[in-house]
Amino acid sequence: METKIVAIEGTDAPESIREKLTEAGNIIKRGGLVAFPTETVYGLGGDALNPESARKIYAAKGRPSDNPLIVHVSNMDDLRKIVKDIPPKAEELARMYWPGPLTMVFEKTDLVPHETTGGLDTVAVRMPLHALANLFIGFAGGFVAAPSANLSGRPSPTLAKHVIQDLDGRIDMIIDSRGADIGIESTIVDVTHKIPVILRPGNITQGMMARLIGDVDMDVTVFDGDSAQAPRAPGMKYRHYAPKGELVVVEGAPEKVAAYINKQAALHEAAGERTGVISTEEQLQKYKASSIKNAGSRVDTMIIAKQLYTFLREFDDENIAHIYSECFSNSFGDKGYGQAVMNRLLKAAGHKVIKV
Ligand code: TXA
Ligand code: MG
């Protein structure tokens, strides 16, 4: 299949944007697939109400079909058509954080086919903040099922070029535009329980939600690599992304972390194995290795979140055999954004952590 790549700039004339989005929307309405930017990561969109579109999404990504899709809407009226009930806490979260990087899991209505929800009677819904994404959903009929626009097992794409690497030739259209400034996927919270449960941490943190609606739980499997329990977000059970190189997270006092990583890097490099480091800006000058990535200041989690997936893709392109990363939160108990970053990092590392 030939994939049409359509660039849209904020400076384009409104008629031109409308024309391109009409074409993109019509592809979705006819059962095709279009990748588009959101504020979190690029999504691979299809008609959420068309079972055939869900099948195509799974096929294009090479993704198991028991892994449910997030339905993207652009307004509350459309939400009401696809969910049985909006609990008061969900109303409050929506009022505060929608449109935005928050996905909520509700009981679904019959309008949503089981193909979209991986057989579940619940549906995950998100209203993106990204202006183009929001418009596109309208042009596409209002209900766009969209997983991250990567091949299964690759990191979520934060740039159009990542989408092109993974999906060129497999889908109808890729919208190339700005976005994905957050860089990791939305927070997922299941609001069907009396105490809502976070199934995937993200930019809207446990602390932010708790301040608004009281207690919010974290699914036990989010940080526990050995948990015998199945995660409640089916997608979280899959080993998300393993870089080609072995990734290890090193935890401890900054001086000790740098000393340990340098010692390992020297051994690997001496053996002819290229080594990469994900470093905070504060430690950057301390490392000697083939590839050193600047994750920004220790005190600003936004920067590492935005770049983490790009770094992982770059290490693969650079043939890095061993990757060491510093930790980006001192404790998992702080209920802040560090939780989301560490969740993605630990998953990519297969939970390999060395304490020094
Ligand atoms: O930021 C995002 O959420 C991006 C952009 C494109 O919006 N989308 C995204 O989708 O990350 P995806 O498919 O890569 O991840 C969806 C996650 C999976 O872990 C899936 O298991 C979970 O959401 N999920 C979807 N529906 C669910 C449901 N009904 N119950 C529990 N988990 C659900
Ligand atoms: Mg994904």
Side-chain angles (χ1 to χ4, degrees):
M1 160 187 316
E2 197 182 331
T3 303
K4 188 164 179 179
I5 298 169
V6 174
I8 302 183
E9 294 287 338
T11 49
D12 291 352
E15 315 82 75
S16 148
I17 296 179
R18 216 172 302 127
E19 204 176 291
K20 289 168 181 170
L21 288 180
T22 303
E23 186 185 352
N26 286 339
I27 291 174
I28 300 285
K29 288 178 180 166
R30 287 197 305 264
L33 304 183
V34 177
F36 63 102
T38 81
E39 71 276 19
T40 56
V41 299
Y42 271 75
L44 170 57
D47 182 353
L49 308 186
N50 179 349
E52 195 49 45
S53 298
R55 279 187 215 110
K56 279 191 196 166
I57 290 174
Y58 294 124
K61 279 186 64 105
R63 170 180 185 150
S65 58
D66 68 340
N67 192 354
L69 305 171
I70 294 175
V71 178
H72 297 67
V73 297
S74 63
N75 59 70
M76 291 300 281
D77 285 342
D78 282 346
L79 173 74
R80 280 180 251 282
K81 296 176 192 156
I82 55 172
V83 307
K84 276 198 179 142
D85 171 46
I86 306 176
K89 287 179 184 176
E91 288 272 6
E92 278 195 68
L93 288 172
R95 213 174 298 131
M96 188 75 163
Y97 296 118
W98 273 6
L102 177 69
T103 296
M104 290 192 264
V105 174
F106 300 90
E107 306 281 344
K108 77 172 191 69
T109 62
D110 291 340
L111 199 57
V112 186
H114 278 118
E115 283 79 358
T116 298
T117 63
L120 298 174
D121 291 328
T122 53
V123 61
V125 189
R126 178 160 108 79
M127 192 188 294
L129 179 60
H130 192 286
L132 195 62
N134 232 279
L135 268 177
F136 165 66
I137 293 164
F139 279 89
F143 305 94
V144 176
S148 48
N150 51 283
L151 284 177
S152 195
R154 299 270 290 156
S156 296
T158 52
L159 298 168
K161 80 170 183 202
H162 300 155
V163 184
I164 295 168
Q165 278 168 4
D166 282 13
L167 297 178
D168 193 14
R170 303 175 73 96
I171 62 177
D172 299 283
M173 184 186 277
I174 296 171
I175 298 178
D176 177 349
S177 187
R178 303 247 194 124
D181 284 330
I182 290 173
I184 58 175
E185 308 85 348
S186 62
T187 307
I188 303 178
V189 61
D190 184 342
V191 294
T192 64
H193 303 276
K194 217 156 119 204
I195 298 181
V197 187
I198 296 176
L199 309 185
R200 180 174 74 183
N203 185 271
I204 305 300
T205 66
Q206 189 176 15
M208 287 159 75
M209 289 191 277
R211 279 192 286 281
L212 191 68
I213 58 169
D215 284 347
V216 176
D217 287 339
M218 180 73 68
D219 187 22
V220 290
T221 62
V222 164
F223 291 113
D224 182 358
D226 307 320
S227 177
Q229 228 169 304
R232 286 197 259 180
M236 297 290 277
K237 74 173 175 271
Y238 297 107
R239 172 77 182 280
H240 250 205
Y241 176 61
K244 287 184 208 147
E246 187 191 34
L247 170 59
V248 175
V249 178
V250 186
E251 196 186 334
E255 285 303 329
K256 282 191 172 170
V257 168
Y260 175 83
I261 292 177
N262 275 335
K263 195 173 112 206
Q264 298 302 311
L267 290 170
H268 297 313
E269 301 272 354
E273 292 171 339
R274 289 165 61 77
T275 303
V277 180
I278 303 179
S279 166
T280 51
E281 195 160 303
E282 288 83 354
Q283 299 255 88
L284 206 55
Q285 303 306 325
K286 294 184 185 160
Y287 293 108
K288 276 191 70 156
S290 290
S291 177
I292 300 164
K293 309 291 183 193
N294 181 357
S297 170
R298 188 192 316 288
V299 298
D300 185 358
T301 324
M302 301 290 285
I303 303 177
I304 175 62
K306 182 173 162 65
Q307 300 185 99
L308 180 62
Y309 291 145
T310 300
F311 290 163
L312 295 177
R313 282 180 182 256
E314 285 173 358
F315 283 135
D316 279 357
D317 296 342
E318 295 163 3
N319 278 314
I320 299 295
H322 300 275
I323 306 163
Y324 293 91
S325 175
E326 294 180 18
C327 258
F328 294 94
S329 86
N330 296 327
S331 84
F332 299 142
D334 69 358
K335 298 188 170 44
Y337 198 21
Q339 287 183 323
V341 172
M342 287 310 294
N343 168 255
R344 304 310 192 278
L345 190 60
L346 288 170
K347 280 178 80 92
H351 290 268
K352 281 190 291 291
V353 181
I354 289 183
K355 296 195 167 81
V356 294

